[in-house]
Amino acid sequence: MRWESQKVGGDQSQLELPGMPGLVRSVRTPEFAGMVFHEVIARSVLNKVPGRSPLPFGWTVNPYRGCGHACTYCMVGDTPILLADGRTMPLAGLKVGDQVYGTTVGDDGTRRYTATTVLDHWATTRPAYRVTLDDGTQLVTSGDHRLLTDVGWRYVARDATGGRPYLAAGDALVGTGQFAVAPKESADYRLGYLCGVIRGDGRLCPYTHPGTAGGRLETGRLRLAVVEYEALVRTRGYLAAAGIATDRFLFDTRPDGRRREILTVRTAGRREVELVGQLVRWPVMPSDEWRKGFLAGVFDVEGAVDDVIGISNTDPEVISHVVTAARRFGFDAVVGDAGPPTTGGGVPVDARPTPCVLLRGSLAERLRFFHTVDPAITRKRDLRDAVVGDGPLPRVRSVEPLGMELTLYDMSTGTGDFIADGVVSHNCFARHTHTYLDLDAGADFDRQVVVKVNAPEVLSRELNRPAWTREPVAMGTNTDPYQRAEGRYRLMPGIIAALAAARTPFSVLTKGTLLARDLPLLAEAARRVTVGIGVSIAMLDKRLSASVEPGTPSPQARLDLVRRVREAGLPCGVMVAPVLPGLSDGTEQLDGLLGEVADAGATSATVLALHLRPGAREWYRGWLAREHPELVPRYDALYAHGANADRGYRAWLARRVGPLLRRHGLHRPQGQVRPAAAAAGAAGPAAVTPAGPPAAGPTLFDSHPVP
């Protein structure tokens, strides 16, 4: 399909860019499958760096917004997601700041649940697939979504090349399997809950007190001591719905901490007490909703969680109803004992053991109980540090395309994953710069690339304003100006010419090799203005590079670019960025890389330690936990106080790198390329330092220099 044939028109819904007016057309082409290029007429391309930035430049030019290197993962909106309070919420209903469960891998290699924060949330339209598991779970996702299996992460569907790992029938997914549906708050559920709470731990008894005429007044009293505030609020609310007013007061407080503060709900009105008695009568034929409420109430006041769920009570009738209700929902309920009942100080009140109903099973059964009956107390639903997949793992029955596009949702979390209908699901990292355009930070960043097709003309006009003071301009500070699309749009030649004509110093930093196309123009510009050329090369290890810098040229290809820059008569600096603690900071690794950089003819090198911004930090930690879990504790310590590595590590890295830079002649004072006319008579070629951090487009993290 020819680019020129795709004019504005047709489905205008695809052409709306609220944050970037001036749309000319939107382009789709097989050359960039799955991507849309929105060609816009920009009003300005010269951007002031906001705030007090530590960067060595105050202005940037970014002809592109968005990048096609990253992946997109998404699921249908009604997929239940496990919240940090143990309940669930549809994926579409989540918002930034919500607390959900993710996972983390400990020092022993065990994956455990942990609470994490939703950092970003968005929607997109993608071809949908249905993943059906042997327990009946059905997940509707995109083909690019990834789920955790017992042998690692797998995409839902194969790609065009078949080169990536993807799900197949029989694969075991890590998790508990399908979530149970939460009960509805019906009248029967409320009655069951009140019965469980009051019969479980309440006191309902007749009470006689002196009357006004010297006689005795027969009345009654309900007193219910509730330790947990959430159960107290639910109980008072359900009683109020039944027309029973209650008072709340402190029943017992011990400042020495031996006993917990107890809040007591009580009522002493005869009518109210009689009504309570009617509410908590054992039903002849209890409904399932009543049973769910009853189990929730008795668990709130008498339940505990260890390896299994236990519900204790001295009343045999209560124990009998707990067993009957639990077995009704398929739980393996057996009666044991919880030891002799005690007073608050731990003194046995008698020698008889307290009967206890145990609900046996793995974590999956605990979760099923919580979701089936919905107890009020969040603390008892806590899953943090529980082992993920401690029971039988659900297996894939089938993966099938639905043959249609659906609105799918995704989010970014602090752990890089979340729990979707019982299985561990990978999520995307946040790309916040795209939100400046009113585009989302997820699929839009990858597939909706904004191209400022008039960037050279607008830049020339801005640079020729009388107010322009020829401050340094940096390119490659947000998205790579030499990403693949530049091969089609050819915006950089005009931008380079505009900067040179306006006598404005500039720098270009890239990971791509397309810069070689413009070497004659850059050499010509360097005769008139100060030019900085930088190539970012993080490591020599091809496999490690492909894992952490997907979509970028190989290290060897970038070294070849350095050679071509030098052959064109231009100095070229290299950013060894980012250095990954424990992965690419070894003396032999750095020495080998700097040796190759020197052999390629680089005039200088700057070593940059890994810098983890929010969003990139969470993605990188998730990647590290999967690929190198033994390093997670070290990274947690190094980056405990922010995005920068610990100062001690940066100082250590500087001491290690210094001798290596001197050995390879890469230690010259850092400066930008001076114009040839100004450099006449200078001794030797000027060193180059790219005027900014590595381009953020192809990578998922950035770097800061070591001190």
Side-chain angles (χ1 to χ4, degrees), residues 112-342:
R112 298 177 182 274
Y113 290 99
T114 187
T116 187
T117 303
V118 176
L119 303 175
D120 215 337
H121 185 267
W122 58 87
T124 185
T125 301
R126 301 289 305 281
Y129 289 75
R130 180 190 292 114
V131 180
T132 303
L133 307 185
D134 57 5
D135 66 355
T137 304
Q138 290 191 341
L139 300 169
V140 177
T141 79
S142 75
D144 292 327
H145 194 76
R146 281 188 285 173
L147 301 173
L148 184 61
T149 73
D150 58 349
V151 293
W153 292 99
R154 293 288 183 268
Y155 289 91
V156 166
R158 62 178 294 168
D159 59 5
T161 67
R164 68 187 188 186
Y166 58 93
L167 290 179
D171 284 348
L173 297 183
V174 176
T176 60
Q178 189 174 31
F179 290 148
V181 178
K184 297 179 180 179
E185 193 179 281
S186 62
D188 273 7
Y189 179 85
R190 292 193 294 269
L191 287 175
Y193 186 84
L194 289 174
C195 185
V197 168
I198 294 171
R199 287 190 177 273
D201 198 39
R203 295 293 181 269
L204 184 62
C205 55
Y207 177 68
T208 303
H209 60 85
T212 56
R216 308 292 291 178
L217 181 62
E218 298 290 334
T219 181
R221 171 177 292 172
L222 165 67
R223 189 168 68 182
L224 174 66
V226 182
V227 174
E228 302 280 358
Y229 180 76
E230 293 156 311
L232 170 73
V233 171
R234 182 182 287 189
T235 301
R236 293 194 74 200
Y238 286 179
L239 287 172
I244 301 171
T246 57
D247 298 320
R248 186 183 66 173
F249 68 101
L250 294 179
F251 178 70
D252 190 14
T253 303
R254 294 290 181 90
D256 60 8
R258 286 187 301 154
R259 295 183 65 183
R260 301 182 65 178
E261 178 181 290
I262 296 177
L263 297 173
T264 297
V265 174
R266 66 177 179 181
T267 183
R270 181 167 183 168
R271 186 193 69 83
E272 287 84 357
V273 173
E274 290 177 349
L275 182 54
V276 169
Q278 296 174 15
L279 294 177
V280 301
R281 288 183 300 183
W282 296 115
V284 177
M285 297 184 64
S287 67
D288 283 349
E289 291 303 303
W290 185 94
R291 290 189 177 101
K292 293 175 182 178
F294 172 72
L295 288 174
V298 73
F299 176 78
D300 274 341
V301 295
E302 296 284 74
V305 180
D306 194 359
D307 291 333
V308 297
I309 291 174
I311 300 175
S312 304
N313 200 272
T314 57
D315 186 343
E317 200 167 15
V318 170
I319 292 295
S320 175
H321 277 83
V322 170
V323 171
T324 301
R327 290 177 178 173
R328 168 68 178 175
F329 301 116
F331 294 104
D332 183 9
V334 297
V335 180
D337 69 76
T342 64

Side-chain angles (χ1 to χ4, degrees), residues 577-706:
V579 173
L580 308 179
L583 294 174
S584 64
D585 61 354
T587 299
E588 291 186 3
Q589 293 167 303
L590 292 169
D591 189 32
L593 176 55
L594 291 172
E596 292 283 348
V597 167
D599 289 345
T603 50
S604 67
T606 302
V607 179
L608 303 167
L610 177 66
H611 175 76
L612 294 174
R613 300 170 297 179
R617 178 189 185 100
E618 291 74 25
W619 177 91
Y620 183 79
R621 194 184 188 283
W623 173 86
L624 193 71
R626 295 189 299 273
E627 303 295 333
H628 302 279
E630 73 282 357
L631 293 178
V632 170
R634 181 182 181 190
Y635 275 77
D636 287 346
L638 287 176
Y639 294 91
H641 302 295
N644 293 319
D646 177 81
R647 182 177 294 274
Y649 173 81
R650 286 181 285 151
W652 170 86
L653 182 59
R655 291 193 298 271
R656 169 165 287 189
V657 166
L660 300 178
L661 290 171
R662 289 189 291 272
R663 177 189 302 173
H664 296 292
L666 299 170
H667 62 290
R668 298 180 182 88
Q670 304 298 297
Q672 292 183 318
V673 182
R674 292 186 295 161
V688 179
T689 293
T699 60
L700 306 182
F701 43 74
D702 59 9
S703 309
H704 274 187
V706 297

Side-chain angles (χ1 to χ4, degrees), residues 363-486:
L363 177 65
E365 285 295 272
R366 284 161 51 189
L367 262 180
R368 188 166 73 88
F369 176 81
F370 296 151
H371 294 159
T372 298
V373 309
D374 191 27
I377 299 174
T378 300
R379 175 185 62 82
K380 294 185 179 184
R381 307 169 71 129
D382 192 3
L383 301 180
R384 280 172 289 191
D385 294 327
V387 176
V388 181
D390 67 340
L393 299 181
R395 292 188 176 273
V396 175
R397 180 185 301 164
S398 64
V399 179
E400 54 186 332
L402 295 183
M404 65 180 71
E405 290 193 347
L406 295 177
T407 299
L408 303 174
Y409 295 81
D410 195 12
M411 62 179 170
S412 172
T413 69
T415 58
D417 61 4
F418 55 91
I419 313 302
D421 211 356
V423 297
V424 181
S425 173
H426 196 282
N427 66 213
C428 187
F429 58 94
R431 280 71 55 86
H432 292 289
T433 58
H434 226 44
T435 62
Y436 303 156
L437 308 179
D438 286 347
L439 296 173
D440 69 51
D444 286 346
F445 185 90
D446 306 329
R447 300 177 179 274
Q448 308 279 336
V449 177
V450 177
V451 184
K452 304 172 187 177
V453 292
N454 63 332
E457 296 79 11
V458 174
L459 179 61
S460 179
R461 184 172 65 248
E462 291 178 307
L463 294 175
N464 283 291
R465 291 172 180 167
W468 178 244
T469 57
R470 300 176 180 175
E471 297 180 55
V473 171
M475 289 173 282
T477 61
N478 185 25
T479 53
D480 197 326
Y482 284 104
Q483 59 180 281
R484 282 201 308 141
E486 171 61 17

